[in-house]
Structure formats: structure tokens, C-alpha cells
Amino acid sequence: LLQKIGISRGDNIMQLNLLDIKNKVETLPWVRKANLRRSYFPNILQIDLQEREVKSIWQFENNFYPIDAEGNIIDSEYIPTTPLLLIVGEGAPENIKDLMLSIQDDPTVFNRIKVANFISKRRWNVILDNVENGLTIKLPEENIHEAWKKLLKLNETVGLLKRKLTIIDLRLKGKVIVRLNKTEVDSIQQLKEFEEQKI
């Protein structure tokens, strides 16, 4: 911080350009906003900082970047200490804010989201529970919040997210398409064969 503002003890406080110092401070990777104030008797330059908070990690071309709530890349080394949402795809950081605003209605479901994949720079897939073989929810290009509310309603009424599914497709307005995982398909097939034998 001291290197960035370029002042030292003994400098004339009257000659400090607060706007210039503010702009310099706000170029630091972890600074979201800076407020400066000078006081006299004693001569003090007070700097109040709002720090950026990491909300997700962006994976792009085998590199990982911390992302704040506004979708800005924090240009600094960062080692997560708690699980964070992984976002993938070109253009994901610029569009993550709108997604996050649309899918936080139910904290329990939101906390199950492990990956958000920005598809073809236009829409999102979110993966629940497991990065490699979790439940994939395909969201539409527009009206994400409306589609997400429909998903939560179905989960509330029929326990949709408790079922053994691999895909829930919400891209078509007025329709919900689901795909069972293989073990569930096999168990249903076995049940049908058993019922046929009984007949």
C-alpha cells in the first residue's frame, strides 16, 4: 500500500492529491474501493479500504483465477481455505453475477452446486453434488430465475432433486426433461421384468 501511494512521513499533507492516491490504491488487486480523508492537528491521512471477497474460482485453459462477487478477476495468487464454486468457460466471469442472483433462492440447493459451466458464451449448466458425475441442470439462455424457481417448486412438490437423475433440462419453456442415471434405469428395467414374470 505504501509503495502504491508513494508518500512517506514528513511529506506536506496539504500537497497530497487525494483523488490521485485513491485511484492508485484502487488498482491494487484486493482493493474493491478506497475512501481517503486527511485531518490536521495531528496531520493524518486516513485510508479506509473495502476488500474484494472471492466468490468463485474460474478455470480457463488449465489456469485458475479468483473471482469476486461482481465477476472481476482478482489478479493475485490465492489458495482457497473453504470450498468455492468452480466456474468454467469463456466469458464466465462477466456473466456469473446474473447467474448468482438467479440461483440463490434456496440456500440448501445453492450449496449443492459445485460447478457452473458457461456454454458457448450464452447459457449455463450447473452441476450439483459431484464435479465428475453429479446432477447436471441445463439452464435456458434467458429467464434463468424463472426456470430456477420452477426447479425449486418441483423439488418442493415431488422431490425432484432427491431422485437418481443425471440431467434436468430446463431450456424449453413449459417443459422439464429429465434423464435417469444408469443404475436407476437398470432398477426400473428389473422391476418391469419382475412384474411381467408375475403376470
Side-chain angles (χ1 to χ4, degrees):
L1 179 63
L2 290 174
Q3 289 176 349
K4 180 61 67 172
I5 62 179
I7 62 175
S8 57
R9 186 180 296 275
D11 289 350
N12 189 337
I13 197 169
M14 294 293 296
Q15 294 180 348
L16 298 182
N17 185 325
L18 298 192
L19 180 59
D20 182 54
I21 296 173
K22 171 184 167 69
N23 291 335
K24 288 179 179 179
V25 170
E26 289 181 348
T27 65
L28 291 170
W30 289 101
V31 175
R32 180 175 178 270
K33 187 177 181 181
N35 290 306
L36 281 75
R37 185 176 51 152
R38 60 182 145 201
S39 61
Y40 311 98
F41 311 111
N43 293 330
I44 293 175
L45 175 64
Q46 180 175 324
I47 304 175
D48 296 322
L49 302 179
Q50 292 182 20
E51 294 187 27
R52 298 188 188 277
E53 184 178 353
V54 178
K55 290 294 186 179
S56 59
I57 300 292
W58 179 40
Q59 180 182 353
F60 186 67
E61 296 181 347
N62 297 319
N63 295 313
F64 295 86
Y65 306 91
I67 304 296
D68 69 9
E70 282 77 36
N72 300 306
I73 298 172
I74 301 172
D75 187 16
S76 177
E77 292 185 5
Y78 177 73
I79 300 175
T81 55
T82 58
L84 288 168
L85 175 66
L86 178 66
I87 63 174
V88 182
E90 186 177 355
E94 298 92 322
N95 292 276
I96 190 62
K97 182 178 180 180
D98 290 340
L99 176 70
M100 297 286 269
L101 291 173
S102 299
I103 63 175
Q104 296 189 61
D105 291 350
D106 187 323
T108 301
V109 176
F110 179 76
N111 289 333
R112 290 175 60 184
I113 300 174
K114 304 303 178 188
V115 180
N117 189 358
F118 197 49
I119 307 294
S120 301
K121 297 191 289 186
R122 61 184 183 84
R123 66 166 201 85
W124 292 95
N125 283 353
V126 297
I127 302 175
L128 273 58
D129 301 327
N130 189 289
V131 173
E132 295 183 359
N133 56 7
L135 169 59
T136 297
I137 300 171
K138 296 185 176 184
L139 294 170
E141 188 171 349
E142 298 178 350
N143 300 319
I144 299 175
H145 191 225
E146 181 181 328
W148 194 258
K149 285 197 298 184
K150 181 197 300 182
L151 175 73
L152 296 181
K153 184 66 175 178
L154 287 170
N155 188 48
E156 180 184 337
T157 55
V158 299
L160 186 63
L161 297 178
K162 298 176 183 177
R163 299 172 182 263
K164 295 180 179 179
L165 305 173
T166 58
I167 293 176
I168 299 175
D169 194 337
L170 302 170
R171 290 176 294 174
L172 298 178
K173 189 173 182 179
K175 290 186 178 181
V176 177
I177 301 171
V178 300
R179 180 183 297 173
L180 296 168
N181 67 20
K182 188 177 185 305
T183 57
E184 186 73 359
V185 171
D186 291 343
S187 65
I188 290 173
Q189 183 62 34
Q190 290 170 3
L191 179 60
K192 287 181 179 179
E193 291 173 357
F194 177 71
E195 290 175 343
E196 288 171 358
Q197 289 172 7
K198 286 175 62 178
I199 296 170

